[in-house]
């Protein structure tokens, strides 16, 4: 590991990139780092500890909550509340936003949206899962209780966004709007080190990631794009490779490193697809654009969407710009 820059040092070194956030962001990142280390520990002993399996209740999405979903949600919520800079949190695992009302939260100016465990269905089969987070400045008066409009901001207003991937190693990847940097966790001393400076996605790739089990229900434009990927589209280009893990964070991270496109389109009765705009698509879109990629709903830029509900869903096309462009061309051509 060259020159051993830790995540903490890096955030402090770069906070002049974000003058209004003197020191605040490094404290918020401190909370996210702490909670991610606790989740890393639980994931890496899930087989032994009583942490796999269902918690026996459902979340607002009507999805069975995994014990790790509940554990991770609790740890990130507690760690962020303890810092006093965050006045509220919205989570996939919470029906409404959570207001932090301790004395230390008076005048705090940030809100966080989070998917505590992304790819939950993969926990019990030992496949990579992740955490996704998105940070905004609040827009309501600082001395007042946090409001829903603090959470329903366009993705363009994000102060920072990032994800943790709990894979063969645990990594934290984030942006504050000045590029994307990746940090690998060394569990032997509990430190994240800068391992992937200035991450940039290749403009084209040969990997497409989509759950083809839903193929018959896809819009015609997506069906045609998949067929395009499967045909030899240029003289020398061999057919693309299909890779789909079922954890957005893991599929996204692989495509970010190698080039590729991830698509979760609308399908059948799910006119808005499955992925949530506020705590999955907006943060991942911010990161992807900062890494030179593109992110849309098949037609328009995801981070310009005006949200109207905490858990609203959206079709999601994200990855190498030339590949997203091609998929959007198929969507526009057939008007589907
Ligand atoms: P979560 O576990 O937070 O609900 O997210 C799961 C999402 C996402 O991680 C993944 O890309 C997608 O669900 C997979 O959905 P399908 O199993 O329908 O393909
Ligand atoms: Mn998710
Ligand atoms: Mn989740």
């Amino acid at each position: 590991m060259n020159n051993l820059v830790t995540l903490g040092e890096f955030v402090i070194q770069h906070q002049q990139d974000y003058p209004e956030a003197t020191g605040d962001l490094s404290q918020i990142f401190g909370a996210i780092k702490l909670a991610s280390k606790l989740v890393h520990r639980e994931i890496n002993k899930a087989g032994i500890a009583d942490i796999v399996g269902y918690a026996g209740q459902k979340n607002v999405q009507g999805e069975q909550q995994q014990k790790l979903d509940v554990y991770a949600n609790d740890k990130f919520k507690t760690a962020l509340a303890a810092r006093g800079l965050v006045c509220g949190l919205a989570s996939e695992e919470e029906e409404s936003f959570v207001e932090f009302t301790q004395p230390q939260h008076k005048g705090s100016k940030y809100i966080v949206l989070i998917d505590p465990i992304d790819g939950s269905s993969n926990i019990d089969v030992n496949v990579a899962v992740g955490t996704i987070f998105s940070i905004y400045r609040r827009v309501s008066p600082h001395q007042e209780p946090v409001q829903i409009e603090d959470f329903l901001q366009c993705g363009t207003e994000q102060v920072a966004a990032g994800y943790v991937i709990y894979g063969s190693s645990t990594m934290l990847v984030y942006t504050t709007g000045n590029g994307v940097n990746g940090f690998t966790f060394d569990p032997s001393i509990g430190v994240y080190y800068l391992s992937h400076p200035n991450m940039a996605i290749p403009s084209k790739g040969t990997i497409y990631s989509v759950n083809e089990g839903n193929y018959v229900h896809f819009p015609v434009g997506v069906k045609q794009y998949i067929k395009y990927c499967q045909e030899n589209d240029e003289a020398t280009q061999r057919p693309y490779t299909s890779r789909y893990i079922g954890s957005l964070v893991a599929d996204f991270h692989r495509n970010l490193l190698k080039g590729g496109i991830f698509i979760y389109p609308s399908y059948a009765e799910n006119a808005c697809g499955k992925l949530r705009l506020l705590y999955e698509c907006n943060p991942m879109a911010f990161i992807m654009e900062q890494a030179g990629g593109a992110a849309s709903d098949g037609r328009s830029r995801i981070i310009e969407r005006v949200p109207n509900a905490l858990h609203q869903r959206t079709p999601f096309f994200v990855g190498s710009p030339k590949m997203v462009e091609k998929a959007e061309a198929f969507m526009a051509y057939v008007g589907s």
Side-chain angles (χ1 to χ4, degrees):
M1 195 107 36
N2 53 10
N3 68 16
L4 294 185
V5 176
T6 68
L7 173 55
E9 289 161 346
F10 187 90
V11 171
I12 289 171
Q13 281 167 12
H14 290 77
Q15 69 192 356
Q16 74 273 359
D17 298 346
Y18 210 77
E20 302 94 282
T22 44
D24 295 355
L25 273 192
S26 48
Q27 285 200 55
I28 296 174
F29 272 96
I32 292 170
K33 270 191 299 185
L34 173 62
S36 72
K37 293 176 188 177
L38 294 172
V39 172
H40 162 91
R41 184 189 61 187
E42 290 310 310
I43 284 180
N44 284 282
K45 62 179 188 182
I48 309 159
D50 176 28
I51 201 81
V52 296
Y54 291 113
Q57 65 245 24
K58 288 189 175 179
N59 62 14
V60 63
Q61 338 275 339
E63 294 160 348
Q64 274 295 345
Q65 280 180 317
Q66 296 271 6
K67 288 179 185 169
L68 203 62
D69 284 319
V70 175
Y71 176 88
N73 188 59
D74 178 56
K75 294 303 171 222
F76 279 97
K77 186 166 52 173
T78 306
L80 287 164
R83 298 293 161 127
L85 291 159
V86 175
C87 54
L89 171 118
S91 164
E92 177 194 4
E93 307 307 332
E94 302 278 352
E95 181 150 5
S96 176
F97 62 84
V98 177
E99 184 192 349
F100 295 155
T101 54
Q102 305 298 317
Q104 74 263 31
H105 299 124
K106 206 104 190 89
S108 53
K109 56 184 178 183
Y110 296 96
I111 61 106
V112 177
L113 296 116
I114 191 159
D115 178 0
I117 295 290
D118 172 68
S120 307
S121 60
N122 281 325
I123 294 168
D124 297 355
V125 293
N126 213 11
V127 168
V129 296
T131 296
I132 307 171
F133 61 89
S134 174
I135 304 172
Y136 291 82
R137 274 189 312 278
R138 69 180 296 182
V139 291
S140 58
H142 286 189
Q143 299 309 324
E144 303 294 317
V146 69
Q147 307 291 325
I148 184 67
E149 69 257 13
D150 292 311
F151 298 92
L152 300 182
Q153 299 184 55
C154 268
T156 48
E157 299 307 306
Q158 291 176 92
V159 167
Y163 61 84
V164 183
I165 177 166
Y166 310 97
S168 45
S169 67
T170 290
M171 272 192 70
L172 188 148
V173 175
Y174 85 93
T175 183
T176 55
N178 296 284
V180 178
N181 291 281
F183 300 79
T184 299
F185 183 53
D186 177 345
S188 65
I189 51 172
V191 174
Y192 279 98
Y193 284 116
L194 177 64
S195 54
H196 296 67
N198 304 311
M199 296 176 83
I201 188 168
S203 66
K204 269 197 77 172
T206 58
I207 296 172
Y208 70 99
S209 308
V210 63
N211 182 345
E212 295 190 56
N214 298 323
Y215 180 87
V216 293
H217 303 299
F218 283 161
V220 174
V222 171
K223 289 181 178 174
Q224 293 192 342
Y225 180 68
I226 291 172
K227 287 301 156 219
Y228 165 82
C229 290
Q230 291 168 344
E231 282 146 18
N232 216 336
D233 69 323
E234 276 145 23
T236 55
Q237 181 95 0
R238 74 179 191 78
Y240 289 23
T241 300
S242 171
R243 286 282 184 277
Y244 192 74
I245 298 170
S247 294
L248 167 62
V249 168
D251 282 313
F252 180 101
H253 186 71
R254 180 208 50 243
N255 291 354
L256 174 58
L257 294 175
K258 295 179 177 265
I261 184 171
F262 172 95
I263 300 177
Y264 207 106
S266 59
Y267 62 102
E269 64 282 356
N270 300 286
C272 293
K274 172 181 183 182
L275 298 179
R276 278 58 55 120
L277 174 62
L278 291 183
Y279 43 79
E280 289 174 313
C281 301
N282 267 342
M284 299 308 257
F286 185 22
I287 294 165
M288 184 53 78
E289 290 195 358
Q290 283 292 313
S296 78
D297 58 10
R299 286 188 178 72
S300 45
R301 197 175 169 221
I302 276 284
I303 58 175
E304 289 177 347
R305 292 276 298 276
V306 179
N308 49 45
L310 273 187
H311 301 290
Q312 75 181 79
R313 300 172 192 264
T314 175
F316 196 36
F317 294 61
V318 62
S320 295
K322 294 245 184 295
M323 299 178 82
V324 173
E325 212 174 286
K326 191 74 179 174
E328 288 171 345
F330 278 103
M331 292 295 283
Y333 177 68
V334 292
S336 71

